[in-house]
């Protein structure tokens, strides 16, 4: 297939691109506003790889006849999207409509990477796909969580008049090599801090939970979801739930057991708990994550050791 992937130079996108390049022609559209060009350095030699370096909101020519469009482009770190809220919401709303138009024009299949943030601060635990969420439309995360929700709504609306074969995946917290140092997300922060001998900054009391999925597992879920039926929505994540303080202790034990833990204010609207219900992905995609947190963290830490 000829595959067009927006955000294909990002943390998750570059891992997906790497896998797709084994069997397909891949054109990445990325402006590297929140990722490093190093992520795709090795692909540039690959004969099946093309790069269009642009913001998807700008006009650009694609020069291919795509069979599949994967729309992943978006800032995804809370620190990053709070700095650039308008760009974030535009990428997920206008950007999604624009990519849908291209999919319609070329009769390409379409996959949108949404997020667990569509569930907001969830009142149902774990979160199944049919939960509508608990989101603050005016809060500091709104550009991202409401942006992704509106991206989903944009798809549902667009296909009413212009049919596109689409599916949506909601990605939960993911980690692994190519996470950006200093991107503000918890694993990136904790690992960088421990490696530098700095105190580990736990926000709030650290009792809030997240469920962390190793990037290779996530990519295998994305590949399976690409082949799913149209209009399906899947949670992709690892249901192994951990409190943030537990995560800090695990990382500390691997890198530097003497590291200090310091407590900082909890950011506004920080969800208290998050854990995917992946029964649907298990059943319909035959997918589930395999990598234990400690094993995945060790691989991630090896990567960070080289760059920190
Ligand atoms: N967090 C933390 N210390 C940090 C960075 C994040 O305690 O240095 C917490 C944050 O408040 C949240 C959790 O870790 O409760 C996950 O944060 P992240 O930004 O990675 O992703 P989120 O799931 O909130 O989008």
């Amino acid at each position: 297939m000829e595959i067009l992937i927006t955000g294909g130079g990002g943390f998750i996108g570059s891992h997906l691109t790497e896998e797709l390049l084994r069997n397909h022609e891949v054109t990445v559209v990325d402006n590297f506003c929140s990722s490093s060009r190093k992520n795709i350095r090795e692909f540039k030699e690959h004969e099946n790889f093309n790069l269009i370096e642009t913001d998807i909101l700008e006009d650009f020519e694609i020069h291919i006849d795509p069979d599949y469009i994967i729309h992943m482009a978006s800032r995804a770190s809370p620190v990053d999207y709070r700095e650039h809220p308008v760009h974030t919401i535009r990428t997920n709303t206008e950007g999604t409509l624009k990519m849908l138009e291209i999919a319609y024009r070329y009769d390409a299949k379409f996959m949108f990477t949404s997020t667990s943030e569509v569930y907001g601060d969830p009142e149902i635990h774990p979160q199944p796909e049919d939960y509508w969420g608990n989101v603050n439309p005016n809060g500091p995360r709104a550009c991202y969580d409401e942006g992704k929700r509106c991206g989903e709504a944009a798809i549902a609306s667009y296909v009413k008049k212009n049919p596109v074969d689409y599916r949506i995946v909601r990605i939960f917290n993911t980690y692994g090599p190519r996470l950006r140092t200093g991107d503000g997300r918890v694993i990136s922060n904790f690992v960088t801090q421990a490696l530098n001998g700095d105190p580990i900054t736990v926000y709030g009391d650290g009792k809030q939970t997240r469920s962390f999925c190793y990037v290779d597992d996530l990519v295998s879920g994305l590949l399976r979801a690409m082949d799913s039926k149209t209009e399906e929505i899947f949670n992709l994540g690892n249901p192994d739930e951990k409190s943030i303080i537990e995560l800090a202790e695990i990382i500390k034990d691997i890198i530097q057991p003497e590291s200090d833990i310091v407590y900082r204010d909890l950011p506004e609207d920080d969800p208290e708990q998050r854990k995917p219900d992946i029964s649907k992905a298990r059943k319909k995609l035959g997918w589930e994550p395999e990598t234990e947190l400690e094993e995945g963290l060790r691989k991630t830490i090896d990567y960070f050791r080289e760059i920190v």
Side-chain angles (χ1 to χ4, degrees):
M1 284 195 292
E2 293 234 35
I3 301 176
L4 186 78
I5 165 167
T6 75
F11 158 53
I12 298 176
S14 64
H15 285 277
L16 179 60
T17 299
E18 196 170 343
E19 280 308 305
L20 292 172
L21 277 172
R22 294 177 194 278
N23 300 305
H24 306 284
E25 299 257 335
V26 184
T27 299
V28 163
V29 187
D30 207 308
N31 64 351
F32 300 99
C33 68
S34 57
S35 61
S36 166
R37 285 176 187 80
K38 283 191 194 142
N39 292 349
I40 53 140
R41 202 171 38 192
E42 284 162 31
F43 314 155
K44 284 198 167 155
E45 309 301 317
H46 204 296
E47 55 178 10
N48 292 345
F49 179 76
N50 287 298
L51 174 66
I52 302 174
E53 188 166 336
T54 181
D55 188 320
I56 58 158
L57 298 171
E58 302 292 332
D59 287 335
F60 62 92
E61 302 281 329
I62 60 173
H63 300 300
I64 56 163
D65 180 356
D67 303 295
Y68 211 115
I69 294 178
I70 305 169
H71 177 36
M72 307 190 85
S74 177
R75 299 171 191 271
S77 155
V79 175
D80 216 19
Y81 59 66
R82 276 174 210 188
E83 280 275 310
H84 304 276
V86 175
H87 186 252
T88 303
I89 200 161
R90 287 187 64 210
T91 306
N92 283 300
T93 54
E94 289 171 52
T96 301
L97 283 167
K98 184 168 172 181
M99 298 318 296
L100 276 167
E101 269 161 28
I102 300 175
Y104 180 65
R105 193 175 338 132
Y106 288 92
D107 196 20
K109 287 191 173 187
F110 188 82
M111 182 160 84
F112 177 56
T113 57
S114 184
T115 170
S116 55
E117 302 260 341
V118 299
Y119 303 121
D121 193 4
E123 294 146 315
I124 291 185
H125 196 72
Q127 296 80 53
E129 288 86 351
D130 56 9
Y131 175 48
W132 290 352
N134 175 35
V135 175
N136 175 0
N138 308 112
R141 300 173 90 100
C143 61
Y144 186 66
D145 50 29
E146 293 288 20
K148 288 285 188 188
R149 286 167 70 92
C150 189
E152 293 196 19
I155 298 169
S157 311
Y158 184 88
V159 299
K160 291 218 158 56
K161 290 270 165 61
N162 304 291
V164 173
D165 183 319
Y166 77 90
R167 63 279 306 126
I168 294 169
V169 288
R170 296 184 180 145
I171 299 176
F172 284 65
N173 298 66
T174 303
Y175 69 101
R178 300 194 196 132
L179 255 183
R180 208 163 35 116
T181 53
D183 100 340
R185 276 183 282 193
V186 66
I187 289 186
S188 168
N189 274 10
F190 287 1
V191 170
T192 309
Q193 290 161 346
L195 287 175
N196 286 333
D198 295 332
I200 293 178
T201 55
V202 169
Y203 300 160
D205 58 12
K207 290 193 183 133
Q208 71 273 33
T209 66
R210 294 293 186 274
S211 309
F212 297 97
C213 187
Y214 188 63
V215 67
D216 289 356
D217 287 333
L218 201 272
V219 166
S220 80
L222 291 171
L223 293 172
R224 285 175 191 232
M226 280 177 73
D227 293 331
S228 71
K229 285 199 306 209
T230 187
E231 293 183 23
E232 291 280 25
I233 300 179
F234 291 102
N235 284 339
L236 293 181
N238 190 324
D240 178 21
E241 184 182 13
K242 291 275 183 293
S243 69
I244 295 304
I245 192 73
E246 278 178 282
L247 176 73
E249 295 289 351
I250 297 170
I251 291 176
K252 201 172 103 140
D253 284 349
I254 300 176
I255 301 177
Q256 177 55 273
E258 269 83 62
S259 292
D260 288 331
I261 291 182
V262 293
Y263 292 87
R264 298 279 178 263
D265 289 345
L266 188 68
E268 195 185 334
D269 287 349
D270 198 277
E272 241 178 76
Q273 51 180 4
R274 187 183 292 150
K275 170 180 172 166
D277 178 338
I278 57 164
S279 333
K280 187 173 169 194
R282 276 199 184 103
K283 194 166 153 220
K284 294 201 169 179
L285 304 177
W287 172 83
E288 69 183 328
E290 289 168 357
T291 313
E292 298 290 334
L293 181 61
E294 191 167 327
E295 182 195 342
L297 281 174
R298 285 184 187 278
K299 291 185 191 167
T300 309
I301 289 165
D302 287 345
Y303 168 82
F304 273 72
R305 273 189 211 284
E306 290 190 9
I307 55 169
V308 168

